[in-house]
mmCIF file of all heavy atoms in Angstrom:
data_model
loop_
_atom_site.group_PDB
_atom_site.id
_atom_site.type_symbol
_atom_site.label_atom_id
_atom_site.label_comp_id
_atom_site.label_asym_id
_atom_site.label_seq_id
_atom_site.Cartn_x
_atom_site.Cartn_y
_atom_site.Cartn_z
ATOM 1 N N THR A 1236 0.841 -1.139 0.000
ATOM 2 C CA THR A 1236 -0.003 -0.001 -0.019
ATOM 3 C C THR A 1236 0.781 1.309 -0.014
ATOM 4 O O THR A 1236 2.030 1.231 0.476
ATOM 5 C CB THR A 1236 -0.938 0.062 1.243
ATOM 6 O OG1 THR A 1236 -0.078 0.031 2.394
ATOM 7 C CG2 THR A 1236 -1.954 -1.116 1.287
ATOM 8 N N ASN A 1237 0.291 2.312 -0.540
ATOM 9 C CA ASN A 1237 0.902 3.645 -0.316
ATOM 10 C C ASN A 1237 -0.158 4.693 -0.151
ATOM 11 O O ASN A 1237 -1.287 4.487 -0.681
ATOM 12 C CB ASN A 1237 1.844 3.948 -1.476
ATOM 13 C CG ASN A 1237 1.170 4.149 -2.777
ATOM 14 O OD1 ASN A 1237 0.813 3.195 -3.493
ATOM 15 N ND2 ASN A 1237 1.017 5.392 -3.208
ATOM 16 N N TYR A 1238 0.232 5.750 0.426
ATOM 17 C CA TYR A 1238 -0.839 6.852 0.754
ATOM 18 C C TYR A 1238 -0.209 8.200 0.429
ATOM 19 O O TYR A 1238 0.901 8.546 0.493
ATOM 20 C CB TYR A 1238 -1.155 6.769 2.275
ATOM 21 C CG TYR A 1238 -1.750 5.451 2.719
ATOM 22 C CD1 TYR A 1238 -0.978 4.407 3.148
ATOM 23 C CD2 TYR A 1238 -3.121 5.291 2.634
ATOM 24 C CE1 TYR A 1238 -1.517 3.227 3.535
ATOM 25 C CE2 TYR A 1238 -3.616 4.114 3.049
ATOM 26 C CZ TYR A 1238 -2.890 3.093 3.514
ATOM 27 O OH TYR A 1238 -3.442 1.874 3.837
ATOM 28 N N ALA A 1239 -1.215 9.129 0.176
ATOM 29 C CA ALA A 1239 -0.812 10.513 0.051
ATOM 30 C C ALA A 1239 -0.409 11.057 1.488
ATOM 31 O O ALA A 1239 -0.986 10.477 2.435
ATOM 32 C CB ALA A 1239 -1.987 11.362 -0.419
ATOM 33 N N ASP A 1240 0.516 11.960 1.545
ATOM 34 C CA ASP A 1240 1.030 12.384 2.828
ATOM 35 C C ASP A 1240 -0.142 13.016 3.613
ATOM 36 O O ASP A 1240 -0.195 12.858 4.928
ATOM 37 C CB ASP A 1240 2.025 13.491 2.600
ATOM 38 C CG ASP A 1240 3.356 12.862 2.161
ATOM 39 O OD1 ASP A 1240 3.502 11.678 2.326
ATOM 40 O OD2 ASP A 1240 4.212 13.695 1.728
ATOM 41 N N SER A 1241 -1.151 13.569 3.006
ATOM 42 C CA SER A 1241 -2.234 14.157 3.686
ATOM 43 C C SER A 1241 -3.161 13.276 4.438
ATOM 44 O O SER A 1241 -3.899 13.761 5.228
ATOM 45 C CB SER A 1241 -3.031 15.063 2.659
ATOM 46 O OG SER A 1241 -3.580 14.298 1.598
ATOM 47 N N VAL A 1242 -3.166 11.981 4.052
ATOM 48 C CA VAL A 1242 -4.000 10.991 4.691
ATOM 49 C C VAL A 1242 -3.312 9.934 5.497
ATOM 50 O O VAL A 1242 -3.995 9.143 6.081
ATOM 51 C CB VAL A 1242 -4.941 10.360 3.624
ATOM 52 C CG1 VAL A 1242 -5.685 11.372 2.811
ATOM 53 C CG2 VAL A 1242 -4.226 9.405 2.766
ATOM 54 N N LYS A 1243 -1.996 9.917 5.479
ATOM 55 C CA LYS A 1243 -1.260 9.042 6.112
ATOM 56 C C LYS A 1243 -1.618 8.958 7.689
ATOM 57 O O LYS A 1243 -1.710 10.031 8.278
ATOM 58 C CB LYS A 1243 0.278 9.146 5.995
ATOM 59 C CG LYS A 1243 0.848 8.622 4.719
ATOM 60 C CD LYS A 1243 2.386 8.872 4.634
ATOM 61 C CE LYS A 1243 2.870 8.393 3.341
ATOM 62 N NZ LYS A 1243 4.299 8.706 3.139
ATOM 63 N N GLY A 1244 -1.822 7.805 8.202
ATOM 64 C CA GLY A 1244 -2.165 7.653 9.630
ATOM 65 C C GLY A 1244 -3.652 7.770 9.875
ATOM 66 O O GLY A 1244 -4.138 7.455 10.958
ATOM 67 N N ARG A 1245 -4.408 8.201 8.852
ATOM 68 C CA ARG A 1245 -5.910 8.377 8.990
ATOM 69 C C ARG A 1245 -6.746 7.433 8.147
ATOM 70 O O ARG A 1245 -7.811 7.054 8.544
ATOM 71 C CB ARG A 1245 -6.256 9.916 8.707
ATOM 72 C CG ARG A 1245 -5.621 10.816 9.600
ATOM 73 C CD ARG A 1245 -6.206 12.244 9.328
ATOM 74 N NE ARG A 1245 -6.057 12.776 8.048
ATOM 75 C CZ ARG A 1245 -7.011 13.118 7.162
ATOM 76 N NH1 ARG A 1245 -8.338 12.985 7.540
ATOM 77 N NH2 ARG A 1245 -6.761 13.591 5.954
ATOM 78 N N PHE A 1246 -6.156 7.164 6.925
ATOM 79 C CA PHE A 1246 -6.823 6.319 5.947
ATOM 80 C C PHE A 1246 -6.149 5.021 5.870
ATOM 81 O O PHE A 1246 -4.951 4.949 5.891
ATOM 82 C CB PHE A 1246 -6.871 6.976 4.573
ATOM 83 C CG PHE A 1246 -7.748 8.214 4.487
ATOM 84 C CD1 PHE A 1246 -8.239 8.881 5.544
ATOM 85 C CD2 PHE A 1246 -8.061 8.708 3.191
ATOM 86 C CE1 PHE A 1246 -9.140 9.934 5.388
ATOM 87 C CE2 PHE A 1246 -8.888 9.916 3.048
ATOM 88 C CZ PHE A 1246 -9.351 10.485 4.199
ATOM 89 N N THR A 1247 -6.999 3.971 5.583
ATOM 90 C CA THR A 1247 -6.419 2.596 5.389
ATOM 91 C C THR A 1247 -7.082 2.026 4.143
ATOM 92 O O THR A 1247 -8.296 1.922 4.159
ATOM 93 C CB THR A 1247 -6.544 1.724 6.566
ATOM 94 O OG1 THR A 1247 -5.981 2.333 7.736
ATOM 95 C CG2 THR A 1247 -6.005 0.320 6.327
ATOM 96 N N ILE A 1248 -6.263 1.536 3.262
ATOM 97 C CA ILE A 1248 -6.780 0.798 2.069
ATOM 98 C C ILE A 1248 -6.586 -0.656 2.291
ATOM 99 O O ILE A 1248 -5.521 -1.063 2.749
ATOM 100 C CB ILE A 1248 -6.190 1.406 0.798
ATOM 101 C CG1 ILE A 1248 -6.785 0.726 -0.551
ATOM 102 C CG2 ILE A 1248 -4.545 1.061 0.723
ATOM 103 C CD1 ILE A 1248 -6.373 1.380 -1.826
ATOM 104 N N SER A 1249 -7.570 -1.412 1.842
ATOM 105 C CA SER A 1249 -7.507 -2.856 1.977
ATOM 106 C C SER A 1249 -8.277 -3.515 0.872
ATOM 107 O O SER A 1249 -8.996 -2.875 0.113
ATOM 108 C CB SER A 1249 -7.990 -3.369 3.339
ATOM 109 O OG SER A 1249 -9.380 -3.026 3.500
ATOM 110 N N ARG A 1250 -8.034 -4.779 0.658
ATOM 111 C CA ARG A 1250 -8.803 -5.453 -0.365
ATOM 112 C C ARG A 1250 -9.240 -6.921 0.057
ATOM 113 O O ARG A 1250 -8.602 -7.466 0.855
ATOM 114 C CB ARG A 1250 -8.000 -5.605 -1.649
ATOM 115 C CG ARG A 1250 -6.726 -6.395 -1.565
ATOM 116 C CD ARG A 1250 -5.846 -6.261 -2.814
ATOM 117 N NE ARG A 1250 -6.577 -6.647 -4.059
ATOM 118 C CZ ARG A 1250 -6.118 -6.213 -5.256
ATOM 119 N NH1 ARG A 1250 -5.117 -5.402 -5.364
ATOM 120 N NH2 ARG A 1250 -6.784 -6.633 -6.335
ATOM 121 N N ASP A 1251 -10.333 -7.247 -0.499
ATOM 122 C CA ASP A 1251 -10.912 -8.604 -0.267
ATOM 123 C C ASP A 1251 -11.067 -9.237 -1.685
ATOM 124 O O ASP A 1251 -12.144 -8.984 -2.359
ATOM 125 C CB ASP A 1251 -12.160 -8.591 0.502
ATOM 126 C CG ASP A 1251 -12.755 -9.903 0.818
ATOM 127 O OD1 ASP A 1251 -12.366 -10.912 0.138
ATOM 128 O OD2 ASP A 1251 -13.574 -10.043 1.747
ATOM 129 N N ASN A 1252 -10.112 -10.031 -2.162
ATOM 130 C CA ASN A 1252 -10.203 -10.497 -3.496
ATOM 131 C C ASN A 1252 -11.309 -11.458 -3.629
ATOM 132 O O ASN A 1252 -11.852 -11.558 -4.787
ATOM 133 C CB ASN A 1252 -8.914 -11.211 -3.853
ATOM 134 C CG ASN A 1252 -7.752 -10.191 -4.063
ATOM 135 O OD1 ASN A 1252 -7.978 -9.069 -4.363
ATOM 136 N ND2 ASN A 1252 -6.537 -10.633 -3.736
ATOM 137 N N ALA A 1253 -11.784 -12.175 -2.613
ATOM 138 C CA ALA A 1253 -12.933 -13.029 -2.793
ATOM 139 C C ALA A 1253 -14.214 -12.353 -3.111
ATOM 140 O O ALA A 1253 -15.145 -12.862 -3.702
ATOM 141 C CB ALA A 1253 -13.063 -13.866 -1.459
ATOM 142 N N LYS A 1254 -14.222 -11.102 -2.635
ATOM 143 C CA LYS A 1254 -15.431 -10.230 -2.924
ATOM 144 C C LYS A 1254 -15.245 -9.209 -4.015
ATOM 145 O O LYS A 1254 -16.143 -8.375 -4.280
ATOM 146 C CB LYS A 1254 -15.912 -9.522 -1.647
ATOM 147 C CG LYS A 1254 -16.256 -10.445 -0.496
ATOM 148 C CD LYS A 1254 -16.682 -9.649 0.717
ATOM 149 C CE LYS A 1254 -17.223 -10.549 1.846
ATOM 150 N NZ LYS A 1254 -17.563 -9.863 2.983
ATOM 151 N N ASN A 1255 -14.091 -9.314 -4.672
ATOM 152 C CA ASN A 1255 -13.763 -8.273 -5.735
ATOM 153 C C ASN A 1255 -13.979 -6.905 -5.296
ATOM 154 O O ASN A 1255 -14.429 -6.007 -5.942
ATOM 155 C CB ASN A 1255 -14.638 -8.514 -6.968
ATOM 156 C CG ASN A 1255 -14.138 -9.599 -7.934
ATOM 157 O OD1 ASN A 1255 -13.262 -10.506 -7.475
ATOM 158 N ND2 ASN A 1255 -14.624 -9.634 -9.108
ATOM 159 N N THR A 1256 -13.481 -6.599 -3.987
ATOM 160 C CA THR A 1256 -13.726 -5.317 -3.399
ATOM 161 C C THR A 1256 -12.402 -4.750 -2.820
ATOM 162 O O THR A 1256 -11.640 -5.519 -2.192
ATOM 163 C CB THR A 1256 -14.783 -5.506 -2.303
ATOM 164 O OG1 THR A 1256 -15.979 -6.018 -2.875
ATOM 165 C CG2 THR A 1256 -15.071 -4.088 -1.694
ATOM 166 N N VAL A 1257 -12.304 -3.402 -3.002
ATOM 167 C CA VAL A 1257 -11.308 -2.660 -2.285
ATOM 168 C C VAL A 1257 -11.943 -1.646 -1.373
ATOM 169 O O VAL A 1257 -13.058 -1.043 -1.754
ATOM 170 C CB VAL A 1257 -10.337 -1.963 -3.286
ATOM 171 C CG1 VAL A 1257 -9.507 -0.989 -2.524
ATOM 172 C CG2 VAL A 1257 -9.530 -2.976 -4.031
ATOM 173 N N TYR A 1258 -11.433 -1.535 -0.243
ATOM 174 C CA TYR A 1258 -11.979 -0.617 0.784
ATOM 175 C C TYR A 1258 -11.081 0.561 1.112
ATOM 176 O O TYR A 1258 -9.860 0.428 0.982
ATOM 177 C CB TYR A 1258 -12.297 -1.380 2.125
ATOM 178 C CG TYR A 1258 -13.181 -2.597 1.960
ATOM 179 C CD1 TYR A 1258 -12.644 -3.873 1.925
ATOM 180 C CD2 TYR A 1258 -14.580 -2.451 1.908
ATOM 181 C CE1 TYR A 1258 -13.434 -4.942 1.833
ATOM 182 C CE2 TYR A 1258 -15.374 -3.530 1.801
ATOM 183 C CZ TYR A 1258 -14.790 -4.815 1.746
ATOM 184 O OH TYR A 1258 -15.650 -5.953 1.628
ATOM 185 N N LEU A 1259 -11.755 1.685 1.496
ATOM 186 C CA LEU A 1259 -10.904 2.758 1.948
ATOM 187 C C LEU A 1259 -11.593 3.221 3.336
ATOM 188 O O LEU A 1259 -12.612 3.775 3.329
ATOM 189 C CB LEU A 1259 -10.905 3.993 1.000
ATOM 190 C CG LEU A 1259 -9.997 5.109 1.397
ATOM 191 C CD1 LEU A 1259 -8.547 4.726 1.354
ATOM 192 C CD2 LEU A 1259 -10.285 6.375 0.574
ATOM 193 N N GLN A 1260 -10.869 2.858 4.430
ATOM 194 C CA GLN A 1260 -11.298 3.242 5.759
ATOM 195 C C GLN A 1260 -10.788 4.638 5.986
ATOM 196 O O GLN A 1260 -9.599 4.861 5.982
ATOM 197 C CB GLN A 1260 -10.913 2.181 6.759
ATOM 198 C CG GLN A 1260 -11.289 2.603 8.277
ATOM 199 C CD GLN A 1260 -12.779 2.571 8.435
ATOM 200 O OE1 GLN A 1260 -13.435 1.623 8.022
ATOM 201 N NE2 GLN A 1260 -13.307 3.575 9.111
ATOM 202 N N MET A 1261 -11.736 5.605 6.262
ATOM 203 C CA MET A 1261 -11.327 6.949 6.530
ATOM 204 C C MET A 1261 -11.664 7.335 7.921
ATOM 205 O O MET A 1261 -12.836 7.383 8.244
ATOM 206 C CB MET A 1261 -11.939 7.871 5.496
ATOM 207 C CG MET A 1261 -11.692 7.515 4.061
ATOM 208 S SD MET A 1261 -12.339 8.648 2.780
ATOM 209 C CE MET A 1261 -14.057 8.554 3.187
ATOM 210 N N ASN A 1262 -10.647 7.661 8.742
ATOM 211 C CA ASN A 1262 -10.883 8.141 10.117
ATOM 212 C C ASN A 1262 -10.381 9.500 10.281
ATOM 213 O O ASN A 1262 -9.687 10.030 9.461
ATOM 214 C CB ASN A 1262 -10.168 7.125 11.072
ATOM 215 C CG ASN A 1262 -10.636 5.699 11.031
ATOM 216 O OD1 ASN A 1262 -11.806 5.476 10.691
ATOM 217 N ND2 ASN A 1262 -9.755 4.797 11.215
ATOM 218 N N SER A 1263 -10.806 10.108 11.384
ATOM 219 C CA SER A 1263 -10.418 11.463 11.726
ATOM 220 C C SER A 1263 -10.569 12.408 10.459
ATOM 221 O O SER A 1263 -9.640 13.184 10.162
ATOM 222 C CB SER A 1263 -8.915 11.489 12.163
ATOM 223 O OG SER A 1263 -8.801 10.617 13.247
ATOM 224 N N LEU A 1264 -11.716 12.356 9.906
ATOM 225 C CA LEU A 1264 -11.989 13.191 8.713
ATOM 226 C C LEU A 1264 -12.018 14.609 9.003
ATOM 227 O O LEU A 1264 -12.422 15.115 10.074
ATOM 228 C CB LEU A 1264 -13.339 12.721 8.137
ATOM 229 C CG LEU A 1264 -13.259 11.387 7.285
ATOM 230 C CD1 LEU A 1264 -14.632 10.862 7.159
ATOM 231 C CD2 LEU A 1264 -12.555 11.553 5.990
ATOM 232 N N LYS A 1265 -11.518 15.329 8.012
ATOM 233 C CA LYS A 1265 -11.382 16.801 8.056
ATOM 234 C C LYS A 1265 -12.189 17.391 6.939
ATOM 235 O O LYS A 1265 -12.446 16.831 5.815
ATOM 236 C CB LYS A 1265 -9.868 17.211 7.897
ATOM 237 C CG LYS A 1265 -8.950 16.492 8.865
ATOM 238 C CD LYS A 1265 -7.521 16.970 8.481
ATOM 239 C CE LYS A 1265 -6.539 16.249 9.468
ATOM 240 N NZ LYS A 1265 -5.141 16.591 9.106
ATOM 241 N N PRO A 1266 -12.603 18.658 7.092
ATOM 242 C CA PRO A 1266 -13.293 19.298 5.931
ATOM 243 C C PRO A 1266 -12.435 19.261 4.642
ATOM 244 O O PRO A 1266 -13.063 19.222 3.612
ATOM 245 C CB PRO A 1266 -13.485 20.722 6.498
ATOM 246 C CG PRO A 1266 -13.565 20.595 8.000
ATOM 247 C CD PRO A 1266 -12.563 19.459 8.242
ATOM 248 N N ALA A 1267 -11.146 19.266 4.746
ATOM 249 C CA ALA A 1267 -10.343 19.255 3.638
ATOM 250 C C ALA A 1267 -10.356 17.903 2.852
ATOM 251 O O ALA A 1267 -9.905 17.795 1.741
ATOM 252 C CB ALA A 1267 -8.807 19.568 3.972
ATOM 253 N N ASP A 1268 -11.035 16.935 3.436
ATOM 254 C CA ASP A 1268 -11.171 15.656 2.800
ATOM 255 C C ASP A 1268 -12.435 15.645 1.929
ATOM 256 O O ASP A 1268 -12.649 14.615 1.265
ATOM 257 C CB ASP A 1268 -11.316 14.513 3.796
ATOM 258 C CG ASP A 1268 -10.016 14.332 4.665
ATOM 259 O OD1 ASP A 1268 -8.957 14.393 4.039
ATOM 260 O OD2 ASP A 1268 -10.120 14.152 5.837
ATOM 261 N N THR A 1269 -13.195 16.702 1.973
ATOM 262 C CA THR A 1269 -14.426 16.746 1.109
ATOM 263 C C THR A 1269 -14.050 16.682 -0.380
ATOM 264 O O THR A 1269 -13.308 17.398 -0.784
ATOM 265 C CB THR A 1269 -15.177 18.075 1.506
ATOM 266 O OG1 THR A 1269 -15.612 18.048 2.825
ATOM 267 C CG2 THR A 1269 -16.425 18.151 0.416
ATOM 268 N N ALA A 1270 -14.700 15.674 -1.023
ATOM 269 C CA ALA A 1270 -14.323 15.498 -2.496
ATOM 270 C C ALA A 1270 -15.184 14.368 -3.010
ATOM 271 O O ALA A 1270 -15.899 13.696 -2.269
ATOM 272 C CB ALA A 1270 -12.865 15.143 -2.697
ATOM 273 N N VAL A 1271 -15.182 14.226 -4.252
ATOM 274 C CA VAL A 1271 -15.689 12.949 -4.888
ATOM 275 C C VAL A 1271 -14.528 11.926 -4.932
ATOM 276 O O VAL A 1271 -13.470 12.230 -5.459
ATOM 277 C CB VAL A 1271 -16.244 13.194 -6.317
ATOM 278 C CG1 VAL A 1271 -16.704 11.882 -6.991
ATOM 279 C CG2 VAL A 1271 -17.375 14.189 -6.311
ATOM 280 N N TYR A 1272 -14.824 10.727 -4.374
ATOM 281 C CA TYR A 1272 -13.850 9.731 -4.353
ATOM 282 C C TYR A 1272 -14.148 8.670 -5.394
ATOM 283 O O TYR A 1272 -15.377 8.132 -5.433
ATOM 284 C CB TYR A 1272 -13.799 9.083 -2.928
ATOM 285 C CG TYR A 1272 -13.162 10.010 -1.856
ATOM 286 C CD1 TYR A 1272 -13.749 11.190 -1.433
ATOM 287 C CD2 TYR A 1272 -11.897 9.629 -1.329
ATOM 288 C CE1 TYR A 1272 -13.181 11.946 -0.502
ATOM 289 C CE2 TYR A 1272 -11.309 10.486 -0.390
ATOM 290 C CZ TYR A 1272 -11.950 11.686 -0.005
ATOM 291 O OH TYR A 1272 -11.365 12.381 0.931
ATOM 292 N N SER A 1273 -13.171 8.247 -6.112
ATOM 293 C CA SER A 1273 -13.342 7.331 -7.202
ATOM 294 C C SER A 1273 -12.242 6.258 -7.081
ATOM 295 O O SER A 1273 -11.070 6.572 -6.737
ATOM 296 C CB SER A 1273 -13.228 8.022 -8.507
ATOM 297 O OG SER A 1273 -14.259 8.978 -8.682
ATOM 298 N N CYS A 1274 -12.518 5.039 -7.496
ATOM 299 C CA CYS A 1274 -11.568 3.969 -7.572
ATOM 300 C C CYS A 1274 -11.190 3.840 -9.046
ATOM 301 O O CYS A 1274 -11.961 4.093 -9.903
ATOM 302 C CB CYS A 1274 -12.061 2.746 -6.990
ATOM 303 S SG CYS A 1274 -13.408 2.046 -7.559
ATOM 304 N N MET A 1275 -10.008 3.296 -9.238
ATOM 305 C CA MET A 1275 -9.390 3.107 -10.627
ATOM 306 C C MET A 1275 -8.562 1.891 -10.705
ATOM 307 O O MET A 1275 -7.771 1.650 -9.727
ATOM 308 C CB MET A 1275 -8.666 4.368 -10.998
ATOM 309 C CG MET A 1275 -8.209 4.458 -12.445
ATOM 310 S SD MET A 1275 -6.648 3.576 -12.835
ATOM 311 C CE MET A 1275 -5.485 4.765 -12.208
ATOM 312 N N ILE A 1276 -8.624 1.161 -11.685
ATOM 313 C CA ILE A 1276 -7.901 0.008 -12.027
ATOM 314 C C ILE A 1276 -7.132 0.294 -13.265
ATOM 315 O O ILE A 1276 -7.723 0.456 -14.361
ATOM 316 C CB ILE A 1276 -8.599 -1.239 -12.221
ATOM 317 C CG1 ILE A 1276 -9.152 -1.729 -10.805
ATOM 318 C CG2 ILE A 1276 -7.776 -2.430 -12.793
ATOM 319 C CD1 ILE A 1276 -10.032 -2.957 -10.843
ATOM 320 N N PRO A 1277 -5.783 0.360 -13.252
ATOM 321 C CA PRO A 1277 -5.063 0.484 -14.503
ATOM 322 C C PRO A 1277 -4.643 -0.755 -15.143
ATOM 323 O O PRO A 1277 -4.315 -1.733 -14.439
ATOM 324 C CB PRO A 1277 -3.674 1.158 -13.935
ATOM 325 C CG PRO A 1277 -3.599 0.635 -12.552
ATOM 326 C CD PRO A 1277 -4.960 0.323 -12.045
ATOM 327 N N THR A 1278 -4.888 -0.854 -16.447
ATOM 328 C CA THR A 1278 -4.517 -2.088 -17.237
ATOM 329 C C THR A 1278 -3.652 -1.681 -18.390
ATOM 330 O O THR A 1278 -3.454 -0.466 -18.600
ATOM 331 C CB THR A 1278 -5.708 -2.826 -17.672
ATOM 332 O OG1 THR A 1278 -6.335 -2.107 -18.825
ATOM 333 C CG2 THR A 1278 -6.762 -3.062 -16.601
ATOM 334 N N ARG A 1279 -3.159 -2.629 -19.029
ATOM 335 C CA ARG A 1279 -2.278 -2.380 -20.153
ATOM 336 C C ARG A 1279 -3.042 -1.516 -21.230
ATOM 337 O O ARG A 1279 -2.356 -0.698 -21.827
ATOM 338 C CB ARG A 1279 -1.810 -3.670 -20.787
ATOM 339 C CG ARG A 1279 -0.921 -3.551 -22.074
ATOM 340 C CD ARG A 1279 -0.677 -4.889 -22.663
ATOM 341 N NE ARG A 1279 0.033 -5.780 -21.789
ATOM 342 C CZ ARG A 1279 0.498 -6.969 -22.179
ATOM 343 N NH1 ARG A 1279 0.160 -7.475 -23.313
ATOM 344 N NH2 ARG A 1279 1.147 -7.755 -21.342
ATOM 345 N N TYR A 1280 -4.332 -1.741 -21.360
ATOM 346 C CA TYR A 1280 -5.005 -1.071 -22.533
ATOM 347 C C TYR A 1280 -5.725 0.158 -22.159
ATOM 348 O O TYR A 1280 -5.900 1.040 -22.939
ATOM 349 C CB TYR A 1280 -5.966 -2.068 -23.052
ATOM 350 C CG TYR A 1280 -5.376 -3.326 -23.479
ATOM 351 C CD1 TYR A 1280 -5.452 -4.605 -22.736
ATOM 352 C CD2 TYR A 1280 -4.610 -3.476 -24.591
ATOM 353 C CE1 TYR A 1280 -4.841 -5.804 -23.070
ATOM 354 C CE2 TYR A 1280 -3.907 -4.687 -24.934
ATOM 355 C CZ TYR A 1280 -4.038 -5.746 -24.199
ATOM 356 O OH TYR A 1280 -3.403 -6.937 -24.566
#
């Protein structure tokens, strides 16, 4: 895993491959965290 400096220690990313799911646990949220959050999978194509 890797994190933006602004969220280190507050956010945790994890995955459950059996469920085809990635999670983002966000704690100690700040007004600066307000945004649209999207997930992305990069592939060769």
Side-chain angles (χ1 to χ4, degrees):
T1236 59
N1237 68 279
Y1238 299 91
D1240 287 343
S1241 59
V1242 307
K1243 280 180 182 177
R1245 299 188 299 121
F1246 290 12
T1247 303
I1248 189 171
S1249 61
R1250 66 190 300 160
D1251 184 340
N1252 291 332
K1254 296 182 178 180
N1255 277 18
T1256 301
V1257 170
Y1258 303 100
L1259 186 67
Q1260 178 67 44
M1261 306 187 295
N1262 299 328
S1263 302
L1264 283 161
K1265 306 175 181 179
D1268 296 317
T1269 295
V1271 175
Y1272 286 71
S1273 303
C1274 57
M1275 189 273 282
I1276 290 179
T1278 72
R1279 176 186 300 180
Y1280 303 106

